[in-house]
């Protein structure tokens, strides 16, 4: 099937909103009560710990709430699939709510661990967990969040859904290990980067969307659409994030700019720039570890088409995500899944 242009797909989405007279709706408002239930249930899951230090450390990142992007996507997909399957009621089931909750807990646990590995200093405008609680307790708190998310997941009672979200953890760990290495040739390097991006970012969205679709009792074709929507959205999200590392400011982004370069990571803008500036290859292989390597890579990206090509690639994935969402029965929720895609390309932080 010929891919329609992104602008045409967004025009269709806006038309869908107009026809339904639903312009006053927005994604978070539709699932506001569900998101409140997610945060409340996370608090209860972690509050059972009888060790005060571990309990408070595990709750630390949840105290200053993030954007809740992953549960937002899962909840909208759950409602859209419920509407697709039932043709009327779109209310989220307890099992689907658990998937949304688990997605946020897994994501937050990885942030705790990532901040330790990356020796980060701030997260969401506050000192990182390991600076407050110490490295060991911080690592254990991330482990504890994952443990409680697994216990919550087991209550769903659907072995296939449990297995799906277990694969998220498998994928995340493999993605982290892949991030430690690179490849010799440009083509292999980019394929390595894209697989790592799927594993570290997109797999959680893809499998969470597939899980809530299966819990809605949808057909295999619809659950595949849900999976592909999450996959494409997740990859686009990370591509834009990698681009913002070069074009945003630390105040807007909430973390230091050029953070990836300083960690030795060659993301899409750098990999594209290396096609124009082959001298970047040696810097990439040594992970920008020598004096002025970060500055040289920064200048090469700024003077190449790397940022535009990264944005173009993100647009391709968002286009595919829109096509997947349009395969669902029309509802406010399916239209908002499309609107989320537009927000990804225009996000500043």
């Amino acid at each position: 099937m010929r891919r329609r242009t992104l602008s045409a797909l967004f025009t269709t989405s806006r038309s869908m909103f107009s026809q339904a007279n639903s312009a006053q709706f927005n994604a978070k408002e539709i699932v506001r009560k569900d998101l409140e239930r997610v945060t409340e249930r996370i608090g209860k899951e972690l509050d059972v710990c009888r060790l005060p230090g571990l309990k408070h450390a595990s709750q630390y990142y949840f105290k200053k709430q993030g954007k809740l992007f992953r549960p937002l996507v899962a909840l909208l997909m759950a409602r859209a699939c419920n509407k697709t399957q039932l043709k009327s009621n779109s209310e989220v089931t307890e099992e689907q709510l658990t998937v949304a909750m688990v997605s946020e807990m897994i994501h937050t646990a990885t942030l705790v661990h990532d901040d330790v590995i990356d020796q980060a200093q701030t997260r969401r405008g506050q000192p990182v967990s390991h600076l407050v609680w110490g490295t060991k307790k911080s690592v254990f708190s991330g482990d504890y969040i994952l443990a409680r998310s697994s216990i919550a997941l087991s209550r769903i009672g659907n072995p296939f859904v449990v297995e799906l979200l277990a694969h998220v953890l498998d994928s995340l760990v493999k993605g982290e290990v892949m991030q430690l290495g690179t490849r010799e040739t440009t083509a292999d390097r980019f394929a390595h980067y894209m697989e790592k991006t799927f594993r570290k970012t997109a797999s959680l969205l893809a499998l969470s969307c597939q899980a809530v679709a299966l819990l809605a009792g949808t057909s295999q074709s619809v659950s595949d659409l849900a999976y592909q929507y999450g996959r494409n959205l997740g990859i686009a999200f990370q591509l834009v994030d990698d681009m913002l590392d070069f074009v945003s400011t630390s105040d807007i982004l909430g973390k230091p700019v050029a953070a990836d370069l300083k960690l030795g990571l060659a993301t899409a803008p750098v990999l594209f720039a290396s096609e124009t500036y082959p001298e970047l290859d040696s810097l990439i292989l040594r992970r920008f570890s020598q004096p002025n390597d970060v500055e040289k890579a920064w200048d090469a990206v700024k003077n190449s088409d790397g940022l535009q090509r990264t944005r173009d690639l993100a647009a391709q994935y968002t286009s595919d995500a829109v096509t997947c969402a349009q395969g669902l029965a029309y509802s406010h929720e399916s239209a908002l899944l499309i609107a989320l895609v537009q927000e990804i390309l225009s996000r500043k932080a």
Side-chain angles (χ1 to χ4, degrees), residues 140-192:
F140 291 145
S141 72
D143 295 342
Y144 182 67
I145 295 169
L146 289 176
R148 293 306 306 178
S149 71
S150 298
I151 291 171
L153 185 61
S154 69
R155 299 191 197 111
I156 290 178
N158 184 314
F160 190 63
V161 169
V162 172
E163 183 179 357
L164 272 183
L165 293 183
H167 277 297
V168 172
L169 298 178
D170 174 86
S171 190
L172 286 169
V173 172
K174 289 176 179 175
E176 286 290 350
V177 173
M178 289 181 71
Q179 187 163 274
L180 298 176
T182 186
R183 293 291 183 270
E184 293 288 335
T185 68
T186 302
D188 288 346
R189 198 176 293 147
F190 202 87
H192 180 86

Side-chain angles (χ1 to χ4, degrees), residues 3 31 86 132 147 154 159 175 191 210 229 309:
R3 176 183 287 160
V31 298
L86 303 175
V132 177
S154 69
Q210 186 179 24
Y229 174 86
R309 290 177 67 183

Side-chain angles (χ1 to χ4, degrees), residues 71-330:
L72 171 65
V73 173
L75 291 169
L76 283 177
M77 181 59 74
R79 284 175 168 268
C81 288
N82 291 348
K83 189 68 69 72
T84 297
Q85 180 68 10
L86 303 175
K87 310 301 183 185
S88 56
N89 182 30
S90 66
E91 292 300 311
V92 174
T93 67
E94 286 298 313
E95 293 79 12
Q96 290 171 324
L97 191 78
T98 297
V99 171
M101 178 189 74
V102 167
S103 71
E104 183 66 8
M105 293 179 76
I106 291 175
H107 170 63
T108 303
T110 64
L111 295 184
V112 174
H113 289 155
D114 282 352
D115 286 345
V116 172
I117 293 169
D118 299 341
Q119 298 182 327
Q121 300 296 303
T122 60
R123 168 75 64 182
R124 296 170 182 168
Q126 63 184 1
V128 293
S129 176
H130 63 86
L131 292 183
V132 177
W133 304 100
T135 298
K136 290 182 180 179
K137 190 173 290 184
S138 183
V139 170
F140 291 145
S141 72
D143 295 342
Y144 182 67
I145 295 169
L146 289 176
R148 293 306 306 178
S149 71
S150 298
I151 291 171
L153 185 61
S154 69
R155 299 191 197 111
I156 290 178
N158 184 314
F160 190 63
V161 169
V162 172
E163 183 179 357
L164 272 183
L165 293 183
H167 277 297
V168 172
L169 298 178
D170 174 86
S171 190
L172 286 169
V173 172
K174 289 176 179 175
E176 286 290 350
V177 173
M178 289 181 71
Q179 187 163 274
L180 298 176
T182 186
R183 293 291 183 270
E184 293 288 335
T185 68
T186 302
D188 288 346
R189 198 176 293 147
F190 202 87
H192 180 86
Y193 162 79
M194 291 302 295
E195 183 179 352
K196 182 269 298 180
T197 296
F198 167 75
R199 290 187 178 281
K200 280 205 64 180
T201 304
S203 63
L204 178 55
L205 283 165
L207 292 167
S208 296
C209 284
Q210 186 179 24
V212 295
L214 290 170
L215 289 169
T218 62
S219 64
Q220 185 67 49
S221 61
V222 172
S223 69
D224 287 346
L225 282 175
Y227 173 89
Q228 289 298 333
Y229 174 86
R231 173 184 176 274
N232 289 314
L233 186 72
I235 292 174
F237 185 95
Q238 188 59 55
L239 287 167
V240 172
D241 198 63
D242 292 344
M243 183 178 68
L244 289 176
D245 200 42
F246 289 90
V247 301
S248 190
T249 65
S250 57
D251 289 340
I252 294 175
L253 200 56
K255 64 179 182 179
V257 294
D260 291 330
L261 286 176
K262 293 170 184 174
L263 290 171
L265 306 179
T267 56
V270 179
L271 296 177
F272 282 131
S274 69
E275 295 178 21
T276 304
Y277 297 96
E279 57 269 28
L280 283 176
D281 287 348
S282 58
L283 278 65
I284 292 170
L285 288 172
R286 65 181 183 237
R287 299 177 67 84
F288 314 108
S289 59
Q290 294 187 11
N292 298 319
D293 278 359
V294 169
E295 291 76 11
K296 290 176 183 176
W298 176 277
D299 289 340
V301 169
K302 289 291 188 176
N303 292 321
S304 72
D305 62 354
L307 292 172
Q308 185 58 51
R309 290 177 67 183
T310 301
R311 182 177 179 79
D312 291 344
L313 184 59
Q316 291 179 26
Y317 279 99
T318 52
S319 174
D320 289 341
V322 168
T323 300
C324 292
Q326 289 186 323
L328 304 172
Y330 169 71

